[in-house]
């Protein structure tokens, strides 16, 4: 079993966010995790390992900066409610759900049948997450995530999206 994690975001000088108690039955309270597809990828010239990616989320797109290999048309799970920030002169508006497996980080993959923009936890919007806060929704949820037999697990059970289990994408590239 391997713990899942997003790319390490180093946010500072942000206000803490007070969240309402999550509605019962939600898998990922406070995390807006959606199905996306990589549209464009380009290296950031001022960095040795960062890339800028445009992600299609169905009705919208988000740009994210990450340290790894994504390929165009790759399907990914995107954390949509992280605080946007500037990295090497590029705006990063989202996070990417990745797993550590065999000492490498790989992207979490939604089921093929899941439509772009599909929310893992129903179509609910959450406040922006301050990942630098000591107690934030991502920290609480990340402790419950793991992988096993190629699947993304929440509390030891498959993470479900569009009626199917999410998996890890060992074929889609590795991350720093």
């Amino acid at each position: 079993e391997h713990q899942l994690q997003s790319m390490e975001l180093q946010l500072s000088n942000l206000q803490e966010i007070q969240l309402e108690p999550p509605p019962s039955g939600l898998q990922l309270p406070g995390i807006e995790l959606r199905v996306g597809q990589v549209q464009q990828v380009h290296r950031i010239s001022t960095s040795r390992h960062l890339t800028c990616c445009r992600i299609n989320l169905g009705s919208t797109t988000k740009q994210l900066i990450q340290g790894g290999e994504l390929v165009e048309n790759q399907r990914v799970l995107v954390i949509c409610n992280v605080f946007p920030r500037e990295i090497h002169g590029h705006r990063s508006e989202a996070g990417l759900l990745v797993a550590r497996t065999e000492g490498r980080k790989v992207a979490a993959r939604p089921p093929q049948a899941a439509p772009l923009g599909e929310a893992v936890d129903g179509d609910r919007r959450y406040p922006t997450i301050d990942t630098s806060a000591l107690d934030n929704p991502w920290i609480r949820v990340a402790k419950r995530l793991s992988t096993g037999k190629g699947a993304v697990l929440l509390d030891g059970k498959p993470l479900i999206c569009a009626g199917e289990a999410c998996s890890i994408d060992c074929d889609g590239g590795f991350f720093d």
Side-chain angles (χ1 to χ4, degrees), residues 71-124:
V71 295
E72 289 184 7
N73 298 317
Q74 181 178 353
R75 291 169 57 84
V76 293
L77 290 171
V78 179
I79 305 166
C80 294
N81 63 322
V82 295
F83 190 81
R85 66 187 192 125
E86 194 90 3
I87 304 171
H88 282 269
H90 296 270
R91 185 175 171 86
S92 187
E93 305 167 316
L96 185 67
L97 191 66
V98 300
R100 183 175 295 279
T101 182
E102 298 175 12
R104 309 273 330 241
K105 293 179 188 175
V106 297
R109 178 176 47 203
Q112 193 60 38
L116 296 180
E118 176 87 6
V120 171
D121 222 4
D123 203 19
R124 180 171 164 82

Side-chain angles (χ1 to χ4, degrees), residues 123-172:
D123 203 19
R124 180 171 164 82
R125 304 274 181 194
Y126 289 103
T128 303
I129 299 170
D130 174 1
T131 56
S132 68
L134 294 178
D135 182 29
N136 69 65
W138 174 249
I139 290 171
R140 290 189 296 272
V141 168
K143 291 176 185 176
R144 300 169 51 210
L145 289 165
S146 61
T147 60
K149 296 182 181 175
V152 177
L153 305 175
L154 180 70
D155 296 332
K157 297 177 184 160
L159 182 64
I160 302 298
C161 180
E164 296 180 46
C166 299
S167 59
I168 56 173
D169 188 359
C170 292
D171 300 325

Side-chain angles (χ1 to χ4, degrees), residues 13 45 59 63 71:
N13 301 324
S45 62
S59 62
Q63 181 169 288
V71 295

Side-chain angles (χ1 to χ4, degrees), residues 33-37 56-60 114-120 123:
L33 190 61
R34 294 188 177 273
V35 175
Q37 185 171 28
N56 179 357
L57 293 164
S59 62
T60 188
L116 296 180
E118 176 87 6
V120 171
D123 203 19

